[in-house]
Amino acid sequence: MGRITRLKVCAEDGCPELTTQTRCPKHTREFERERESRVHRESQPWRSVYTDPRWPKLRRQVKREEPTCRVCGAPTTDVDHIVSVQDGGAPFDRSKLHGLCHEHHSSKTAQEVDAKRGR
Ligand SMILES: [Zn+2]
Ligand SMILES: [Zn+2]
């Protein structure tokens, strides 16, 4: 008796595959992949700052108020978080933002990355 394996229909809507697990092998793989990518997204919540509707407005405001780079005086192209959001900086606080040219923004970002690596 115990040799009969109970088969169930795959839990995925509309999939007729029979399986001994919750999902057929193909949908198990898809399910795991989806779960991994969700975990990945949730571990980087700061990414959503740049897709937030408040960000473009704030960005425009900073560029208007600080038309030149704080470091070299070149035209502001980038708006930078003084304390990066990854380090717990407030994402939508005007006083926590400043304008930089592209060059100084990328060198600041690179320094932050280096600092994290412990250089
Ligand atoms: Zn399936
Ligand atoms: Zn600059």
Side-chain angles (χ1 to χ4, degrees):
M1 280 296 274
R3 272 159 54 200
I4 297 171
T5 316
R6 280 180 183 256
L7 291 174
K8 289 176 294 191
V9 177
C10 169
E12 207 59 42
D13 271 352
C15 178
E17 291 294 324
L18 294 175
T19 172
T20 54
Q21 289 158 327
T22 313
R23 290 172 176 79
C24 68
K26 174 175 162 253
H27 282 121
T28 301
R29 269 200 308 279
E30 282 180 11
F31 181 75
E32 304 263 295
R33 206 166 19 221
E34 168 58 29
R35 193 173 56 192
E36 269 165 32
S37 71
R38 198 166 53 231
V39 167
H40 191 64
R41 272 200 303 278
E42 282 166 4
S43 68
Q44 301 180 315
W46 52 270
R47 281 193 185 279
S48 66
V49 171
Y50 303 105
T51 54
D52 191 286
R54 284 171 290 181
W55 178 244
K57 275 188 219 148
L58 211 52
R59 212 179 119 88
R60 268 200 300 278
Q61 186 193 346
V62 174
K63 281 186 164 186
R64 198 169 54 230
E65 293 173 3
E66 300 180 23
T68 55
C69 171
R70 292 213 164 180
V71 185
C72 69
T76 294
T77 55
D78 293 13
V79 172
D80 179 54
H81 288 96
I82 296 167
V83 177
S84 78
V85 182
Q86 295 173 68
D87 292 335
F92 304 112
D93 184 342
R94 169 61 187 91
S95 67
K96 303 286 192 297
L97 295 164
H98 60 187
L100 291 176
C101 70
H102 183 69
E103 194 191 323
H104 283 112
H105 185 216
S106 34
S107 68
K108 177 174 182 285
T109 307
Q111 275 163 23
E112 283 168 2
V113 171
D114 284 350
K116 277 205 187 60
R117 287 195 192 125
R119 268 196 234 162

